[in-house]
């Protein structure tokens, strides 16, 4: 049964018609469909940032049957009303942008369907659309994978589409509408003409119940009628481009390959850009020989028809879970004196890829380079992988002796001993089978850049790229019906493996979910096992922001982002040493304004100056120098946004984590 809750206590500003773009508003998840996370507002600047105070706050506990501790939303603001999702019910809420007063709320009560969803909680927000004549709509995807269009003035539902009806397993068997595995955290993308684009996502982590799970897809609908316009299959069917990259008809028995991050739309060119993730399974692909298009591929399609225009695969036959987790960013740059309409994309391998967005031609050469071939039974390996020549990698890309901890000779020596039983190497070092008489495992990246993506300044053509270290160990184990006598174990009963490996044609990880090793053992977290005396295995910075000039493909500056965590600053092994600011490991999205780069700590710390909490930092966007900071009660968990209401600039950010449940904080300067 479905229930609707909404109120009509609306402020008058909510009843005005909305033009496509108004100064001081934030009408899309990333500010606009180009995904810049940029605003030209400058009332808040270097001289006054540290004077910010909380103008209003909204705790999200009431929007669901239990509190949420992973609030990732970025609100929209149009016509003085803030729209976002909140709580474990994934309620859509509208609040007065100046006061935080709740105006209306809508929630779908989906019962068992929501409980079975692979993508829970409130997700990342909503989309907004207007015809410019008074028809204003809010669009979002429910926990149970329904597409809902609401009246932006009242919250009343206008269209509800069951997206699960289009999802299939294998050769075409429909999934169960209650228990079938598919969902979405990202917001839909809606063009000015009213075309809604919706992606798909599946279970997080490296162990689906079977590799023959639900297939990824992107769907397009008409916002006025709810009619389906087209469908793009991210695992091509027979007769579709790319089907031949799935050898031995393996397209029919594999799934995932969804589009779980934000998409981009170029209204002028009539094109949409789809960032596609890894096929099943994340770390073993013996059941899917071939390069596996469109896995780990940026795909450009015609906005009106869904037909492929061009594509570029960032990882061939992925074995590392290096899916495209970030949104494509549409940039206009000047390269060698020539204007280029480009699209830039990045992900966990810490590369930034830049293409002509009409043709797909790389702006700077991307070279196919030979990579190491592994020896996992039944596996298929691509002999080469793509390497951009510009810009350079912006963070660690693997575990090597050069980037191990070196605070003291003793810690360095322990790190070398700890990794001696593991296979180390650069990016694209292949996974190994965990054995007592061989390597316990290898390493893979779950850091680099993840779903918050990077931000872009259209005035200076500089990208501001957040990244962090997370290189946990991964080892492959035999399937449950094989001999376990030679499986390696670490930390008592914590298996190194996060996936099973089997011979050709056999199912992988079908019945048992192995436990992952302590992680991020090679990153900026505390972890255990590989971590020398509980300190991170790798050298800092554990979190960074890198400014990259995209006219030249060169770094402008790079800084450590995030205050040094308590357990490092107060560690006995580092007593008496001067440790530079280490930064913090964790997902961080960036807001760019006229003069500032703004991002917060993902972790909480305790200092002499502030109680336990996290800091919201401001940096001079030209130099990277920190120019201000204000205290927050918990770490950043969503990307900040900014807007102007009543002549006052606000910055809104989602915070949560640990024992602190989700809350939206709105900062502004004190009233004069």
């Amino acid at each position: 049964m479905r229930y609707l809750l909404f109120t009509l206590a609306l402020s008058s500003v909510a009843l005005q018609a909305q033009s496509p773009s108004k100064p001081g508003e934030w009408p899309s998840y990333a500010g606009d469909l180009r995904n810049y996370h940029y605003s030209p507002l400058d009332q808040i600047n270097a001289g006054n940032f540290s004077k910010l105070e909380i103008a209003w706050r909204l705790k999200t506990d009431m929007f669901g049957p239990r509190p949420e501790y992973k609030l990732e939303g970025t609100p929209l603001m149009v016509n003085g009303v803030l729209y976002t999702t909140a709580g474990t019910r994934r309620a859509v809420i509208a609040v007065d942008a100046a006061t935080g007063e709740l105006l209306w709320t809508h929630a779908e009560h989906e019962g068992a369907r929501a409980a079975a969803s692979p993508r829970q909680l409130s997700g990342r927000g909503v989309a907004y659309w207007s015809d410019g004549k008074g028809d204003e709509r809010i669009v979002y995807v429910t926990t149970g994978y329904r597409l809902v269009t609401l009246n932006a003035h009242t919250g009343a539902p206008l269209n509800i589409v069951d997206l699960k009806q289009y999802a299939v397993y294998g050769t075409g068997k429909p999934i169960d509408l209650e228990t079938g595995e598919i969902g979405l955290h990202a917001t839909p993308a809606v063009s000015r003409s009213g075309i809604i684009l919706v992606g798909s996502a599946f279970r997080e982590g490296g162990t689906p119940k079977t590799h023959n799970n639900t297939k990824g897809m992107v769907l397009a609908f008409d916002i006025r009628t709810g009619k389906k316009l087209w469908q793009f299959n991210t695992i091509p069917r027979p007769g579709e481009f790319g089907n031949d990259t799935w050898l031995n008809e393996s397209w029919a028995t594999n799934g995932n390959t969804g589009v779980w991050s934000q998409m981009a739309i170029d209204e002028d060119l009539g094109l949409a850009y789809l960032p596609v993730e890894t096929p099943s399974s994340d770390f073993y692909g013996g059941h899917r020989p071939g390069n596996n298009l469109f896995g780990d591929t940026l795909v450009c399609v015609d906005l009106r028809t869904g037909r492929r225009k061009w594509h570029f695969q960032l990882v061939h036959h992925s074995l590392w879970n290096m899916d495209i987790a970030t949104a494509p960013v549409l940039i206009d740059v000047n390269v060698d004196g020539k204007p280029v309409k480009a699209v830039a994309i990045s992900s966990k391998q810490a590369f930034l890829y830049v293409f002509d967005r009409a043709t797909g031609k790389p702006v700077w050469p991307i070279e196919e380079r030979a990579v190491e071939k592994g020896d996992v039974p039944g596996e298929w390996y691509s002999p080469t992988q793509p390497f951009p020549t510009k810009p350079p990698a912006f963070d660690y890309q693997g575990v090597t002796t050069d980037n191990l901890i070196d605070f003291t000779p003793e810690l360095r020596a322990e790190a070398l001993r700890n990794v001696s039983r593991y296979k180390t190497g650069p990016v694209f070092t292949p996974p190994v089978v965990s054995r007592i008489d061989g390597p316990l495992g290898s390493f893979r990246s779950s850091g680099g850049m993840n779903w918050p993506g990077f931000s872009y300044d259209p005035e200076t053509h500089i990208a501001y790229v957040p990244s962090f270290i997370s290189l946990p160990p991964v080892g492959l184990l035999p399937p449950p019906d094989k001999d376990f006598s030679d499986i390696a174990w670490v930390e008592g009963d914590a298996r190194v493996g996060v996936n099973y490996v089997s011979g050709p044609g056999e199912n992988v990880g079908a019945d048992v979910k192995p436990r992952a090793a302590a992680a991020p053992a090679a990153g900026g977290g505390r972890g255990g096992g590989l971590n020398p005396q509980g300190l991170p295995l790798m050298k800092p910075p554990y979190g960074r922001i890198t400014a990259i000039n995209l006219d030249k493909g060169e770094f402008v500056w790079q800084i450590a982002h995030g205050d040094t965590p308590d357990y490092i600053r107060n560690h006995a092994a580092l007593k008496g040493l001067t440790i530079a600011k280490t930064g913090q490991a964790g997902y961080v999205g960036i807001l760019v304004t006229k003069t500032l780069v703004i991002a917060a700590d993902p972790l909480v710390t305790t200092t002499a100056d502030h109680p336990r909490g996290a800091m919201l930092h401001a940096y001079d966007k030209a130099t990277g120098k920190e120019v201000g900071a204000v205290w927050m009660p918990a770490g950043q968990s969503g990307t900040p946004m900014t807007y102007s209401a009543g002549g006052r600039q606000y910055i809104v950010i989602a915070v949560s984590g640990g024992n602190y449940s989700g809350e939206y904080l709105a900062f502004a300067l004190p009233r004069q």
Side-chain angles (χ1 to χ4, degrees):
M1 181 177 293
R2 182 174 59 82
Y3 299 90
L4 173 68
L5 172 66
F6 65 94
T7 71
L8 297 178
L10 298 175
S11 65
S12 60
V13 292
L15 302 177
Q16 302 169 10
Q18 162 67 12
S19 62
S21 178
K22 291 182 180 179
E25 294 191 331
W26 192 274
S28 183
Y29 171 84
D32 59 28
L33 292 176
R34 299 170 298 181
N35 295 319
Y36 285 176
H37 296 281
Y38 170 83
S39 170
L41 295 177
D42 61 356
Q43 184 182 89
I44 298 171
N45 54 50
N48 58 30
F49 188 88
S50 293
K51 298 178 182 178
L52 289 176
E53 61 183 19
I54 295 178
W56 58 261
R57 61 201 308 166
L58 181 69
K59 200 73 172 172
T60 64
D61 294 2
M62 71 186 77
F63 300 108
R66 64 190 187 280
E68 176 179 17
Y69 295 90
K70 192 180 180 183
L71 179 64
E72 296 178 345
T74 296
L76 317 182
M77 198 288 280
V78 289
N79 288 330
V81 179
L82 206 74
Y83 302 96
T84 190
T85 49
T88 50
R89 185 78 68 194
R90 195 174 294 182
V92 177
I93 61 173
V95 303
D96 186 294
T99 66
E101 178 188 2
L102 184 65
L103 302 177
W104 57 254
T105 181
H106 168 94
E108 295 288 323
H109 291 226
E110 297 176 295
R113 178 180 175 127
S117 173
R119 296 293 164 128
Q120 299 279 333
L121 306 179
S122 61
R124 303 206 172 110
V126 300
Y128 169 86
W129 175 86
S130 171
D131 66 355
K133 301 176 182 178
D135 185 358
E136 299 177 64
R137 306 189 181 201
I138 298 299
V139 185
Y140 83 112
V141 176
T142 70
T143 307
Y145 204 53
R146 291 182 170 100
L147 177 66
V148 179
T149 303
L150 306 173
N151 182 308
H153 305 303
T154 66
L158 301 173
N159 286 308
I160 299 178
V161 179
D162 189 342
L163 300 172
K164 279 192 174 184
Q165 65 181 300
Y166 303 109
V168 299
Y169 298 118
T171 56
K173 179 184 177 182
I175 69 170
D176 186 274
L177 296 184
E178 283 284 299
T179 62
E181 179 194 333
I182 195 166
L184 191 65
H185 276 154
T187 73
V190 187
S191 71
R192 288 195 302 266
S193 60
I195 299 175
I196 306 172
L197 304 185
V198 184
S200 53
F202 310 94
R203 294 183 186 275
E204 296 184 76
T207 313
K209 293 181 179 180
T210 170
H211 59 81
N212 188 16
N213 58 335
T214 314
K215 294 183 184 300
M217 59 183 178
V218 174
L219 300 165
F221 298 90
D222 183 282
I223 195 169
R224 297 174 180 85
T225 66
K227 177 183 176 182
K228 179 183 172 183
L229 301 177
W230 52 260
Q231 176 174 332
F232 183 85
N233 296 319
T234 55
I235 297 179
R237 312 302 197 260
E240 295 179 345
F241 184 94
N243 178 262
D244 59 350
T245 65
W246 296 76
L247 305 181
N248 302 339
E249 301 294 315
S250 57
W251 68 272
T253 54
N254 284 274
N256 268 41
T257 324
V259 175
W260 62 266
S261 190
Q262 300 298 131
M263 292 175 273
I265 292 176
D266 186 320
E267 300 273 9
D268 296 330
L269 295 179
L271 300 174
Y273 302 86
L274 321 179
V276 187
E277 67 158 337
T278 302
S280 301
S281 301
D282 287 351
F283 308 108
Y284 177 76
H287 46 72
R288 49 175 172 85
N291 277 345
N292 306 142
L293 287 176
F294 293 97
D296 295 348
T297 301
L298 178 62
V299 182
C300 172
V301 301
D302 184 285
L303 176 62
R304 295 192 173 277
T305 66
R307 294 192 181 95
R308 184 192 66 90
K309 291 292 188 178
W310 59 264
H311 73 276
F312 191 94
Q313 189 172 51
L314 276 56
V315 182
H316 309 316
H317 188 78
S318 182
L319 303 173
W320 303 271
N321 189 33
M322 292 177 181
D323 50 342
I324 305 180
T326 66
V329 181
L330 308 185
I331 61 177
D332 294 335
V333 292
N334 294 296
V335 180
D336 297 328
K338 298 179 181 179
V340 179
K341 291 184 177 296
V343 55
I345 192 77
S346 185
S347 200
K348 302 172 186 176
Q349 56 268 46
F351 280 133
L352 190 65
Y353 307 77
V354 186
F355 308 94
D356 182 297
R357 66 178 182 260
T359 67
K361 180 181 177 181
V363 169
W364 296 287
I366 299 178
E367 299 174 350
E368 287 288 337
R369 299 177 187 170
V371 294
E372 181 180 354
K373 181 179 180 180
D375 59 2
V376 172
E379 185 58 271
W380 188 97
Y381 296 94
S382 172
T384 64
Q385 294 291 348
F387 285 77
T389 57
K390 281 188 173 185
F394 51 80
D395 215 319
Y396 292 140
Q397 293 188 298
V399 176
T400 66
T401 56
D402 290 340
N403 54 28
L404 296 181
I405 187 174
D406 62 356
F407 289 141
T408 68
E410 293 78 13
L411 289 168
R412 173 77 172 182
E414 184 177 343
L416 289 169
R417 288 194 301 271
N418 290 351
V419 300
S420 64
R421 293 294 308 277
Y422 290 80
K423 182 176 179 60
T424 60
V427 64
F428 303 125
T429 296
V432 299
V433 177
S434 296
R435 299 179 64 91
I436 293 295
D437 59 353
L440 298 181
S442 57
F443 296 87
R444 58 95 175 180
S445 177
S446 61
M449 194 192 309
N450 213 288
W451 62 263
F454 67 93
S455 302
Y456 178 73
D457 185 336
E459 296 182 358
T460 63
H461 299 181
I462 293 176
Y464 296 93
V465 179
S467 63
F468 68 101
I469 306 174
S470 181
L471 291 156
V474 54
L476 303 180
L477 306 179
D481 59 343
K482 299 297 181 182
D483 181 9
F484 271 59
S485 62
D486 62 350
I487 288 178
W489 296 75
V490 295
E491 288 293 292
D493 66 350
R495 291 180 185 171
V496 175
V498 296
N499 212 347
Y500 292 123
V501 66
S502 62
E506 296 175 338
N507 200 4
V508 176
D511 300 308
V512 178
K513 291 184 178 180
R515 286 167 286 180
R526 302 184 68 167
L530 281 161
N531 291 11
Q533 298 189 40
L535 290 166
L537 181 68
M538 310 284 279
K539 295 177 185 177
Y542 308 127
R544 313 177 195 232
I545 296 176
T546 306
I548 305 177
N549 184 316
L550 291 184
D551 288 338
K552 300 178 179 179
E554 298 173 354
F555 289 3
V556 178
W557 49 259
Q558 186 176 67
I559 61 170
H561 171 67
D563 290 332
T564 301
D566 294 349
Y567 79 96
I568 296 174
R569 186 176 60 251
N570 301 323
H571 199 285
L574 305 180
K575 187 176 182 179
L577 299 179
T578 300
I579 304 297
K581 182 178 178 180
T582 66
Q584 297 179 3
Y587 302 150
V588 171
I590 291 174
L591 168 65
V592 182
T593 68
K594 186 75 172 179
T595 59
L596 301 177
V597 172
I598 300 168
D601 297 336
L603 307 177
V604 295
T605 58
T606 304
T607 68
D609 299 326
H610 299 285
R612 187 163 181 80
M615 301 302 292
L616 178 64
H617 302 272
Y619 305 97
D620 184 296
K621 72 179 188 183
T623 66
K625 178 183 177 182
E626 184 166 350
V627 294
V630 291
W631 181 86
M632 305 189 309
Q636 172 178 334
S637 53
T639 301
M641 54 82 76
T642 190
Y643 60 90
S644 179
R648 198 179 187 199
Q649 183 182 354
Y650 296 79
I651 295 172
V652 175
I653 186 170
V655 299
S656 62
N659 63 356
Y660 199 92
S661 58
E663 185 174 33
Y664 287 107
L665 301 177
F667 289 93
L669 294 171
R671 292 188 183 277
Q672 299 298 319

